[in-house]
């Protein structure tokens, strides 16, 4: 990285579902840390995959971890293990249900226990976890399984990622306490016509986003992500009708430098 001071964020996948042209939720920070792992092996060539040092996870739902087993396989045998970082409930779900020698090999002890391919590192809530020149601080949000947002910070700048969630005070508490918030990445999964399924699965719709806006810091742009591809056309219309300049639907491969 030429400029280690800036926070470089690349939205590899802004969607909550998969189809050609619609990649699953994944952000790449400074080229070396991923936030969620929906599409790492689709979006990055092998050389760029090898530069990923760690993957922070918001939660263990499949759309956020889909590429993680495949990334581990591609990194097999490298000198330094890939770190998988998240609060404990997320890591234990991965251990139990993915790297269990049934769904996928236990890469925590392959090629050997002494030189594993992946290493699980717990990140306690509220505590900054160092990742190169940045820190990632998880905070709990509200979803059908344990789910966490992250404050991603460098001196003088930070961005907030909501993770999958229904309306949650913790996002706005984090946004108020953090200094120099440059952007908020907020989930938006379903259209207002699917309010029932959104409520049952604990996700946001455009109307819910609008009521959350009252609590958002003024003048900070809010990038909406995790749209379900079948709902996207309707979501686009509903958001456009709000005429709220702070709200933008995140596009694939959008890059930010803050
Ligand atoms: Zn999701
Ligand atoms: Zn989810």
């Amino acid at each position: 990285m030429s400029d280690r001071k800036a926070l470089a964020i690349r939205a590899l996948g802004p969607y909550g579902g998969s189809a050609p042209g619609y990649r699953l939720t994944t952000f790449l920070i400074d080229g070396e840390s991923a936030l969620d792992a929906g599409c790492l092996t689709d979006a990055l060539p092998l050389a760029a995959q090898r530069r990923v040092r760690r993957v922070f996870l918001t939660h263990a739902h499949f759309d956020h971890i889909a590429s993680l087993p495949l990334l581990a396989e591609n990194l097999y045998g490298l000198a330094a293990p890939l770190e998988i970082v998240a609060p404990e409930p997320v890591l234990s779900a991965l251990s139990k249900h993915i790297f269990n020698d049934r769904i996928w090999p236990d890469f925590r002890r392959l090629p050997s226990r002494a030189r594993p391919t992946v290493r699980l590192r717990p990140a306690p809530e509220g505590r900054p976890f160092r990742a190169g020149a940045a820190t990632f601080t998880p905070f709990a949000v509200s979803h059908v399984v344990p789910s966490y947002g992250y404050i991603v910070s460098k001196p003088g700048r930070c961005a907030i990622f909501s993770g999958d969630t229904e309306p949650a005070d913790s996002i706005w508490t984090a946004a108020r306490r953090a200094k120099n918030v440059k952007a908020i990445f907020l989930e938006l999964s379903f259209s207002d016509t699917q309010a029932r399924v959104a409520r049952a699965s604990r996700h946001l719709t455009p109307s819910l986003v609008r009521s959350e806006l009252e609590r958002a810091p003024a003048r900070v742009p809010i990038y909406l992500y995790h749209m379900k591809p079948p709902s996207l056309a309707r979501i686009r219309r509903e958001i456009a009708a709000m005429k709220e300049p702070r709200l933008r639907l995140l596009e694939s491969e959008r890059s930010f430098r803050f």
Side-chain angles (χ1 to χ4, degrees), residues 204-250:
L204 298 180
T205 64
S207 297
L208 291 171
V209 165
R210 179 162 45 195
S211 42
E212 291 295 279
L213 259 191
E214 292 159 20
R215 303 195 279 167
R219 289 187 298 278
V220 176
I222 298 180
Y223 294 95
L224 302 165
Y225 74 99
H226 198 267
M227 293 74 72
K228 300 287 178 184
S231 312
L232 186 59
R234 234 180 238 281
I235 288 174
R236 214 185 278 290
R237 286 198 296 276
E238 290 168 358
I239 291 292
M242 287 182 193
K243 300 194 189 316
E244 169 53 67
R246 271 189 291 172
L247 295 180
R248 295 150 206 199
L249 289 189
L250 187 57

Side-chain angles (χ1 to χ4, degrees), residues 15-16 25 58-59 61-64 143 164 187 189 203 226 228:
Y15 295 104
T25 300
T58 59
H59 64 308
H61 269 163
F62 191 74
D63 50 328
H64 301 256
H143 191 38
D164 282 16
E187 84 117 274
S189 301
H203 281 298
H226 198 267
K228 300 287 178 184

Side-chain angles (χ1 to χ4, degrees), residues 71-109:
L71 179 68
E73 182 173 54
N74 287 346
L75 300 184
Y76 180 88
L78 289 190
L82 174 75
E83 296 189 330
I84 303 174
V85 190
E88 194 60 62
V90 181
L91 297 184
S92 59
L94 273 189
S95 301
K96 190 168 174 204
H97 302 296
I98 301 291
F99 295 113
N100 59 7
D101 288 329
R102 285 195 295 267
I103 297 294
W104 207 240
D106 184 359
F107 280 106
R108 295 170 302 168
R109 45 185 189 74

Side-chain angles (χ1 to χ4, degrees), residues 32-208:
E32 63 165 52
S33 298
L35 179 55
D36 281 336
C39 73
L40 284 167
T41 53
D42 301 318
L44 298 178
L46 285 171
Q49 290 179 33
R50 285 193 285 266
R51 287 197 289 274
V52 177
R53 308 290 308 278
R54 58 195 81 78
V55 176
F56 290 86
L57 294 174
T58 59
H59 64 308
H61 269 163
F62 191 74
D63 50 328
H64 301 256
I65 62 160
S67 68
L68 196 52
L70 304 169
L71 179 68
E73 182 173 54
N74 287 346
L75 300 184
Y76 180 88
L78 289 190
L82 174 75
E83 296 189 330
I84 303 174
V85 190
E88 194 60 62
V90 181
L91 297 184
S92 59
L94 273 189
S95 301
K96 190 168 174 204
H97 302 296
I98 301 291
F99 295 113
N100 59 7
D101 288 329
R102 285 195 295 267
I103 297 294
W104 207 240
D106 184 359
F107 280 106
R108 295 170 302 168
R109 45 185 189 74
L110 291 172
S112 67
R113 244 181 226 288
R115 262 193 59 224
T117 305
V118 303
R119 202 149 75 92
L120 273 48
R121 297 201 55 193
E125 275 176 59
R127 236 188 278 156
F129 189 103
R130 180 153 285 286
T135 61
F136 287 60
T137 308
F139 57 91
V141 289
S142 181
H143 191 38
V144 287
V145 295
S147 185
Y148 303 85
Y150 283 86
I151 306 168
V152 180
S153 302
K154 279 187 178 176
R157 66 215 74 199
C158 80
I160 291 176
F161 296 83
S162 72
D164 282 16
T165 188
E166 64 187 350
D169 290 336
S170 54
I171 304 166
W172 311 113
T173 307
R176 270 196 310 276
R177 287 195 187 146
K179 291 197 179 72
N180 303 304
V181 181
K182 304 296 182 192
I184 296 172
F185 294 86
L186 183 65
E187 84 117 274
L188 165 59
S189 301
F190 293 106
S191 83
D192 279 323
T193 57
Q194 297 162 296
R196 191 193 292 262
V197 64
R199 200 174 311 120
S201 56
R202 299 205 182 173
H203 281 298
L204 298 180
T205 64
S207 297
L208 291 171

